[in-house]
Amino acid sequence: MNTEKSEENYSKKKSGESATPWRAETKALHSGWHAEKAGDPVTAPWQPSTVYRHGEAGLSKDTWSYTRLDNPNRAQLEQTLTSIEGGLSAVTFASGMAAVQAVFQCLSPGDHVLLPDDLYHGVRNLALHQFERWGLSFDFVDMTSLKEVESASKENTRMLWIETPSNPMLRISDMAALSALAKKRGWLTVADNTWATPVMQRPLDFDIGMVLYSSTKYLGGHSDILGGAVVVGAEAQAFEKPLRTLQIQGGAVPSAFDCWMMMRSLKTLYARVRLQAENAAILAERLEKHPAVKKVYYPGLKSHDGSELSARQAIFPGAMISFEVLGGKKEALAVVNASRLIQPATSLGGVESLWEHRKTSEYPESPTPDNLIRLSVGIEHHEDLWSDIENALKYAGI
Ligand SMILES: Cc1ncc(COP(=O)(O)O)c(C=O)c1O
């Protein structure tokens, strides 16, 4: 069994360096753990021990010692993520927000950050309510406009935050153009790829510096694990060590069990997300034709501003849909509460479909339209999902 840290290279030997490198779908199953010797388990063992016995010379970096510093399950998960993203290394956290926090902590007081004006509201809150007090400053810009990004930048700008598709309006930003601009200016680029997943797009292929995940969503995929991850690419090599130090010293690490669960989830990531996206494409087209629906935001629709860009930089448009119903908050809430199959709940990326009246999950001044419903499409049969949506729209009386 591969329990010794000195054996952690086994996976590197087996995946990236083989004569025919495995494709990401295969790496998702085999690069963090693969039975090698007779008697090895085919699935990685969960190792809950928080402490490990020292050698005769005391603590050594060559063996496991204490679970916050490193442990076999975390190393296997980080190896898998590094491998499927094509990065230098992955650093995992106890939640997506702990990962965001660690990335902001890589900056120094006085640094300026450009964030998208449509992004996960938790990142906005963390920036404004926590990090401004610690000397970072932020501007929120339309990341789909290179001109706006350039004109909002300052001498002390250090980081550009990208969310494409954005949450909840599914705006598409040009990763290649933004990373080229950032490289010219010496800014770190971070892509929160939670909505897209590596199945849909790999930001490091566009020279983005770091890819961030709330692995609570699609990577976990079953609405039962909280987690976060940052995969560092070549453009952000200088941040690899500080991020690892923040993980270990800050201690917001995922438990060995959560890492084990996440490894299990990653095995089906590609199969799940492709089916979710297939379902979403069908539902988005039908929603657009429904008389009770005012507007649909889905990058796979020709009517979407970012559809051409999305087709260029992503393999498919994803499994998230936002749509506006006729009326306002009352009507949108009536719709989400009238479904029988799709459960009204926040969060996304699980195999079961969820939807919510988005604005009530955000902050009161949020620009999200009052009549907007955010739908995370699961792997149920698409006809069952469509009947549920049609019925909900009918029973809501709009
Ligand atoms: C795009 C995005 N980034 C980050 C997060 C934060 O992740 P977590 O809830 O795992 O802390 C979320 C959560 O909804 C999200 O949607």
Side-chain angles (χ1 to χ4, degrees):
M1 242 185 274
N2 292 296
T3 51
E4 285 190 25
K5 197 168 185 184
S6 52
E7 285 186 55
E8 103 186 351
N9 280 338
Y10 72 95
S11 45
K12 283 189 198 129
K13 262 187 271 152
K14 294 288 170 197
S15 57
E17 294 162 27
S18 62
T20 318
W22 288 333
R23 287 156 187 85
E25 291 86 336
T26 311
K27 289 176 176 176
L29 281 88
H30 294 283
S31 59
W33 177 267
H34 192 83
E36 300 296 336
K37 301 189 291 291
D40 272 1
V42 165
T43 58
W46 168 41
Q47 298 194 46
S49 185
T50 53
V51 282
Y52 294 81
R53 185 180 165 136
H54 285 177
E56 280 177 12
L59 193 145
S60 156
K61 286 196 167 144
D62 294 333
T63 56
W64 311 109
S65 58
Y66 184 59
T67 200
R68 173 162 50 76
L69 311 184
D70 207 356
N71 63 66
N73 294 109
R74 197 166 91 206
Q76 289 153 10
L77 172 62
E78 292 181 348
Q79 169 62 30
T80 307
L81 291 172
T82 304
S83 176
I84 61 182
E85 291 289 343
L88 300 176
S89 61
V91 187
T92 53
F93 293 91
S95 69
M97 289 315 298
V100 175
Q101 173 160 293
V103 170
F104 283 164
Q105 284 172 332
C106 286
L107 302 177
S108 302
D111 287 351
H112 173 249
V113 180
L114 287 171
L115 294 167
D117 55 9
D118 185 56
L119 91 162
Y120 172 55
H121 70 104
V123 176
R124 175 188 176 277
N125 291 342
L126 184 76
L128 296 181
H129 301 154
Q130 305 303 329
F131 280 94
E132 269 194 353
R133 294 191 294 130
W134 294 95
L136 295 184
S137 60
F138 301 89
D139 272 302
F140 296 84
V141 295
D142 178 359
M143 269 307 150
T144 67
S145 159
L146 223 55
K147 240 195 200 153
E148 255 204 47
V149 172
E150 287 223 65
S151 64
S153 69
K154 298 181 175 169
E155 219 160 81
N156 57 340
T157 301
R158 294 285 173 270
M159 185 163 84
L160 197 66
W161 194 271
I162 299 164
E163 224 189 68
T164 181
S166 64
N167 179 359
M169 303 306 290
L170 290 119
R171 293 205 194 123
I172 304 296
S173 314
D174 189 334
M175 289 193 282
L178 288 167
S179 78
L181 171 67
K183 258 206 262 191
K184 222 165 49 187
R185 300 289 196 84
W187 305 333
L188 166 68
T189 43
V190 181
D192 182 339
N193 208 37
T194 299
W195 276 38
T197 81
V199 188
M200 175 175 155
Q201 68 194 15
R202 293 201 322 174
L204 299 186
D205 293 343
F206 299 90
D207 284 348
I208 297 291
M210 290 180 187
V211 187
L212 181 137
Y213 287 103
S214 162
S215 47
T216 316
K217 316 298 185 214
Y218 288 100
L219 303 195
H222 296 73
S223 309
D224 56 8
I225 324 168
L226 192 71
V230 181
V231 185
V232 181
E235 298 298 326
Q237 190 169 13
F239 292 90
E240 206 179 356
K241 230 176 157 176
L243 201 60
R244 178 69 65 195
T245 306
L246 280 160
Q247 177 202 37
I248 291 170
Q249 293 184 352
V253 290
S255 71
F257 183 64
D258 282 356
C259 293
W260 181 86
M261 290 270 283
M262 196 61 76
M263 282 281 286
R264 184 188 173 126
S265 288
L266 288 177
K267 293 184 186 194
T268 55
L269 174 71
Y270 285 77
R272 282 187 277 113
V273 173
R274 282 177 183 146
L275 179 52
Q276 288 173 272
E278 267 175 46
N279 281 350
I282 295 167
L283 299 180
E285 281 202 11
R286 292 187 187 178
L287 275 167
E288 196 168 42
K289 293 188 192 117
H290 197 286
V293 174
K294 191 172 160 202
K295 191 166 169 57
V296 181
Y297 302 88
Y298 181 69
L301 295 173
K302 282 203 178 71
S303 57
H304 190 286
D305 285 349
S307 62
E308 276 178 32
L309 176 57
S310 169
R312 266 206 318 276
Q313 71 184 11
I315 296 167
F316 51 79
M320 294 297 298
I321 303 171
S322 288
F323 62 99
E324 291 179 44
V325 292
L326 296 180
K329 177 177 177 177
K330 188 168 135 268
E331 286 73 14
L333 275 169
V335 173
V336 296
N337 289 321
S339 58
R340 217 185 133 247
L341 177 62
I342 305 175
Q343 296 162 96
T346 199
S347 201
L348 58 118
V351 285
E352 54 290 293
S353 297
L354 301 177
W355 62 4
E356 67 172 336
H357 174 250
R358 184 57 191 163
K359 194 161 173 166
T360 47
S361 285
E362 298 183 334
Y363 52 101
E365 334 70 84
S366 153
T368 298
D370 249 332
N371 58 345
L372 188 118
I373 294 172
R374 196 187 76 176
L375 168 61
S376 168
V377 180
I379 62 168
E380 300 92 343
H381 195 285
H382 64 266
E383 293 298 351
D384 293 335
L385 290 171
W386 179 243
S387 327
D388 195 46
I389 293 170
E390 268 193 318
N391 284 335
L393 288 164
K394 190 162 96 197
Y395 292 128
I398 49 171

